[in-house]
Amino acid sequence: MEGGGGGGRVPGPALLLRGALVAVGGGSRLLAARCREAGDDSLFVYDCVNAEKAALGNKGQDGKPIDKGSDDILAFAFSPSGDYFALTDNCKRLILFHTKPSWKCVSIRSVNRRCTSLIITAAEDKILVADKSGDVYSYSITEPQADGKLELGHVSLVLDVTLSPDDQYILTADRDEKIRVSLAKAPYIIVSFCLGHREFVSKILVTPNYPDLLLSASGKYTVSRITYCCQGSYAAILCDSIPTVYVFQLDAIARQLVYKQKISLKHKVWDIAFEETRDLWILQEDSEAPLQLYRPCDGQWKPVTDDKGLQKMSKHLQDNWTVFEAFVGAESRYSSLYKASFDNTADYLQRKEERLQHQKKKRQDLQHGSNGQTKKMKTEESSL
């Protein structure tokens, strides 16, 4: 569901590219900087804890009470031009920023439920926000204080929302492995509905046609990130807790993904993002080298170390490593997305056997009691 670095959708460290901008969210803090523009070494830091309380106290700009949560950033996205940036946090707040010429908070609004994903339209007039109850709301950018409008809903938790490049279609994916395509002007009209989007990618990763692909011990994959590059139609796929990035190329005519490369790393990978130039950025769990940059060369992505943008951003992350310390060595963030399953067959058979033995003993006791009563009656009759 992810495009070329369109947005983040889960708690924890994430990497987001939009033109010359790089944004990293971890916990309640946002780090943003321009990695490509010469002479601009400024770093924008926004903390949902401190800035929020100092500015608004216990209420949002819409006057509604702010839910007291952990303030962790749950989802965020740039607009296509990079002029706007929006995030939602664990306190059910939607925060909108204007990024040029410098970062500035535009508005803070309350949302109904904790959010899982958001995206800004190509027209840059609305923000679409998906939440845990399965609903998708739209919030105006041109009217930054206006309340949200319900656009559509699923019967299950919505994990991701995105838009077609022309804003005509809304695509949503839920926890029940469904992808829904709706008309943006009339979201109640479902254009198409399909199943198994995560399993589709997982099957690609374990197919015998690609012997270079890494197999997990359990044989299961949780696809944590898919980032797409329009130039060349490349897709990079990251699986949870596996220090490997898989690169594919989309063959639109054959309607299939063609495996191109496996990038193995020494540390756990938190996030990945493509630039429009096909450069692939990798954010990893390593305080010494938090960022890796891979550049295409002769059909293969190769590591780059002498890029000034990489060096500048790596320095920013190293200086602010405290933002990420809580996530180092953390367990999977996706276990809660799966419904609990267990095998109770052995317990059931044991209880069944115990029940049968109890019933058998009860019948035997009744039979013995009946035989004893019969013998007693015959003794009494003979004595008469």
Side-chain angles (χ1 to χ4, degrees), residues 239-258:
C239 294
D240 184 44
S241 301
I242 298 179
T244 307
V245 178
Y246 303 99
V247 181
F248 294 83
Q249 187 171 26
L250 176 63
D251 186 338
I253 298 177
R255 297 186 178 183
Q256 64 179 4
L257 289 174
V258 180

Side-chain angles (χ1 to χ4, degrees), residues 344-360:
N344 62 350
T345 304
D347 292 339
Y348 167 75
L349 293 176
Q350 182 180 354
R351 290 195 303 269
K352 181 180 179 180
E353 180 63 24
E354 291 174 353
R355 187 170 62 254
L356 292 174
Q357 291 296 332
H358 178 72
Q359 292 174 352
K360 181 179 179 180

Side-chain angles (χ1 to χ4, degrees), residues 250-320:
L250 176 63
D251 186 338
I253 298 177
R255 297 186 178 183
Q256 64 179 4
L257 289 174
V258 180
Y259 172 60
K260 303 297 291 186
Q261 184 180 352
K262 179 181 73 174
I263 300 174
S264 299
L265 298 112
K266 296 180 181 179
H267 302 276
K268 178 181 177 181
V269 180
W270 277 329
D271 204 2
I272 54 177
F274 267 123
E275 277 196 76
E276 294 176 356
T277 58
R278 292 190 295 172
D279 284 0
L280 180 63
W281 291 75
I282 299 174
L283 176 64
Q284 63 177 0
E285 188 181 274
D286 180 19
S287 60
E288 297 298 323
L291 274 181
Q292 297 285 318
L293 178 61
Y294 281 75
R295 186 163 291 162
C297 180
D298 298 328
Q300 292 285 298
W301 274 259
K302 298 180 180 180
V304 176
T305 58
D306 58 352
D307 183 85
K308 292 183 178 180
L310 171 66
Q311 296 170 356
K312 182 173 71 173
M313 286 305 303
S314 296
K315 181 65 166 54
H316 283 319
L317 299 188
Q318 289 170 343
D319 292 343
N320 293 271

